[in-house]
Amino acid sequence: MSGRKLTSAIQHLLIQVQQLTTKLTKQSVLWLFRSLMRLGKYPRLSKAGFILPTTVLLLLVLLLTVGSIGYRTYTRTVQTIGERQQRVIYNAATPTLDRAKAKIEYLFDARRDPRFPSGIPSENWLLGMMLNDGLPIGTTTVPLHPDTVATYDPYTLPGETRVNMSPPPDVRPDNAWRYRADTDGDGTLDATVAYSIIYKMPTDPANPAAALRNTSDAALPGRASRLEVRHGPLSNTGQQDPACASATAAAATSDGVGRGWLPSGSGSDTSKLRKNFQVDVYVQPDAANRPVAALEFHQDRTVEQGNKWGAWFRND
């Protein structure tokens, strides 16, 4: 018998025991009260003894105690089973983060992906590199990877399939993938793991700077539907600084170099730009009534833009 069937059988048995205990307890208490009331009419019988009523009360207390212990044991067993299943699903989701981190490392490695520019890549250029479909994004069109063939995508690992997360009528696959996984180690694929890599900065034509700082519950659903990150780089210590806000506005309204990158939070360090990469993982088991798992991972990437106030000489 499988674990789910055994758990269901135990649950059904304990429910029947609880119902029987409640029914017997109610009937026994009513019978005891009726007997005591009848004994009160006959003084002789009322003084005959107290052994039977005491025994009945002890049995009732015993039944209630056993029933409560059994119910407590059942609830604790169900809780333990749920926690174990949740841990199994969580363990299946954790290795997916390594897949996403490997793809981000590949994206920034110019030796493996020669499309990475020598300067600061724009946000749309990075999106086009990872999508690797040769279609335009805004005013940017990224060529296919040199090693790309009819069925090869360097950002799709073996066994993975790209997923379209955008609402209709958009049918273009996004930087999201799914694959089958074996969560319990029995050699059978019993769950579907889906994950996405999102690094598009939130934009608002009216007020781009406020769009990044707005993390309210009303703003996040719309940001998720547009496949935008929930916040800026976590390593920036001064995201509320006016300099950072103005740079955010400039980067959000331009499609050129530096779009989607934010300056470092340190006021004395103006040579570094940062960008947040958000990875979301979701595991859906095939079996019904099984726990699911969702993980979110954030990684900040840094590029150097140089110091515009510096001076270099021929012998430097």
Side-chain angles (χ1 to χ4, degrees), residues 64-297:
L64 292 175
T65 303
V66 172
S68 62
I69 293 175
Y71 183 74
R72 174 60 179 170
T73 302
Y74 160 72
T75 55
R76 181 56 183 168
T77 301
V78 173
Q79 181 181 2
T80 303
I81 293 174
E83 291 177 354
R84 182 183 179 278
Q85 293 176 348
Q86 182 69 30
R87 175 55 58 179
V88 169
I89 301 300
Y90 182 84
N91 291 339
T94 304
T96 309
L97 298 179
D98 295 330
R99 295 185 178 221
K101 288 189 287 186
K103 293 181 180 182
I104 297 175
E105 292 296 331
Y106 188 94
L107 181 69
F108 282 85
D109 191 345
R111 294 172 300 177
R112 293 187 290 178
D113 195 338
R115 297 173 298 173
F116 192 84
S118 58
I120 302 174
S122 67
E123 181 178 85
N124 287 344
W125 187 269
L126 293 175
L127 288 172
M129 287 179 61
M130 187 170 287
L131 287 173
N132 195 48
D133 55 7
L135 299 178
I137 303 177
T139 60
T140 302
T141 302
V142 182
L144 297 176
H145 192 280
D147 297 335
T148 298
V149 293
T151 59
Y152 174 74
D153 178 6
Y155 293 97
T156 301
L157 300 178
E160 292 184 346
T161 304
R162 281 192 181 263
V163 180
N164 177 23
M165 300 192 302
S166 302
D170 186 4
V171 296
R172 184 182 187 179
D174 297 302
N175 289 325
W177 301 264
R178 65 181 178 186
Y179 65 94
R180 300 285 294 164
D182 178 17
T183 58
D184 52 10
D186 61 352
T188 303
L189 302 179
D190 54 6
T192 300
V193 182
Y195 68 101
S196 62
I197 303 178
I198 299 174
Y199 44 95
K200 184 178 179 182
M201 297 295 290
T203 57
D204 183 358
N207 194 347
L212 178 65
R213 297 194 298 268
N214 185 8
T215 57
S216 62
D217 294 338
L220 291 181
R223 192 172 299 176
S225 64
R226 296 187 297 270
L227 304 183
E228 299 172 346
V229 294
R230 293 195 292 112
H231 51 71
L234 295 174
S235 55
N236 274 3
T237 57
Q239 295 188 35
Q240 307 300 328
D241 293 344
C244 181
S246 60
T248 303
T253 56
S254 174
D255 196 23
V257 176
R259 169 183 164 82
W261 293 86
L262 301 179
S264 176
S266 176
S268 60
D269 187 1
T270 60
S271 64
K272 292 182 179 180
L273 297 178
R274 303 182 189 273
K275 186 172 184 57
N276 176 35
F277 286 75
Q278 176 181 316
V279 179
D280 295 289
V281 184
Y282 179 78
V283 182
Q284 176 63 59
D286 295 340
N289 300 325
R290 292 288 300 276
V292 299
L295 297 179
E296 187 169 279
F297 169 79

